[in-house]
Amino acid sequence: MTGPGATEPQDMRDMFRSMLLIRCFEEKASEEYMAGRIGGFLHLAIGEEAAVVGTVSAMRADDPLTSTYREHGQALARGTDPRSVMAELLGRSTGLCGGRGGSMHLMDKARSFYGGYGIVGGSVPLGLGLAYAIRYRGGDQVSVTMFGDGATNQGVVAECFNMAGLWDLPIVFLILNNQYGMGTSLEHASAEEDLYPRAEAYGIPAWKVDGMDVMAVRGAV
């Protein structure tokens, strides 16, 4: 990428290639899971490719990223070797985390990807901590933390909003709203279905973006 605001043809091709890689990877992972070769749980990011790639394409290589347990796409978009990610899902020693993390706990520190997290909303305070570390060390990076609509009702998310607003920390909270927290629809889980304005209560600018439009996401981030 030539820069966060660039829309050069090569940037467009890179983003398309990254989205296609994520889709093909997830489809293959689903096959392996159904065949019983991937143990535990497998949470796919099919349909979230544009949101993931649009976000990562706007980030610098040293901007830290944290995600939910649905994080294969984030690792791939960051440039992690797909073979290393698949080996991790299969529990092999050649996997990204030596086969010990599995689907929900990928991490690639070399690419500033600080992982997915199995607990709903659990990655948000980690992202906040990374933002605090940036400020404490006098850096100019920006922490980005992704979480789903199901995590927005976790108390720790509100606490993180408050701390980020209070200390003016360099962090972007990105809600990947796919309308369902596991099997519960948004309308049955949240009294207010527009989630993004919650951040405004803590002095954090917030707006809604079409997560199916990679360029809209890239521009917003």
Side-chain angles (χ1 to χ4, degrees), residues 5-209:
T7 55
E8 297 298 324
Q10 187 57 48
D11 293 339
M12 306 286 279
R13 287 191 288 269
D14 289 344
M15 286 187 286
F16 179 75
R17 187 179 297 109
S18 185
M19 288 190 291
L20 184 60
L21 170 63
I22 293 170
R23 174 61 65 95
C24 292
F25 182 95
E26 295 291 63
E27 289 175 346
K28 183 60 179 177
S30 179
E31 289 179 17
E32 294 297 300
Y33 184 72
M34 296 301 290
R37 288 187 283 268
I38 294 177
F41 294 98
L42 183 76
H43 302 281
L44 303 176
I46 289 176
E48 297 183 358
E49 297 90 349
V52 170
V53 172
T55 297
V56 172
S57 72
M59 297 173 65
R60 283 190 349 200
D62 60 345
D63 289 333
L65 174 66
T66 56
S67 178
T68 67
Y69 46 70
R70 198 181 304 275
E71 89 287 29
H72 311 154
Q74 282 84 346
L76 296 173
R78 267 307 213 189
T80 304
D81 184 354
R83 291 168 294 189
S84 178
V85 179
M86 186 62 77
E88 184 63 31
L89 303 190
L90 294 167
R92 296 178 179 175
S93 61
T94 54
L96 182 60
C97 300
R100 297 182 178 87
S103 171
M104 294 190 288
H105 299 101
L106 301 174
M107 180 177 176
D108 191 346
K109 187 177 179 181
R111 292 174 176 79
S112 300
F113 178 50
Y114 288 88
Y117 207 73
I119 296 175
V120 175
S123 62
V124 182
L126 297 180
L128 184 81
L130 289 163
Y132 181 83
I134 292 168
R135 175 60 50 79
Y136 184 79
R137 296 169 178 167
D140 63 348
Q141 303 97 323
V142 175
S143 174
V144 177
T145 184
M146 294 182 168
F147 52 101
D149 48 288
T152 58
N153 291 321
Q154 295 285 74
V156 70
V157 173
E159 293 171 2
C160 288
F161 283 169
N162 184 59
M163 292 175 71
L166 180 64
W167 295 336
D168 191 27
L169 296 180
I171 184 169
V172 174
F173 297 99
L174 202 151
I175 303 172
L176 290 169
N177 185 359
N178 62 12
Q179 306 296 310
Y180 279 88
M182 296 304 290
T184 304
S185 67
L186 181 63
E187 64 181 3
H188 291 139
S190 295
E192 174 52 63
E193 294 180 38
D194 262 341
L195 304 176
Y196 70 96
R198 297 185 186 190
E200 295 176 338
Y202 301 92
I204 300 173
W207 57 94
K208 184 187 292 186
V209 181

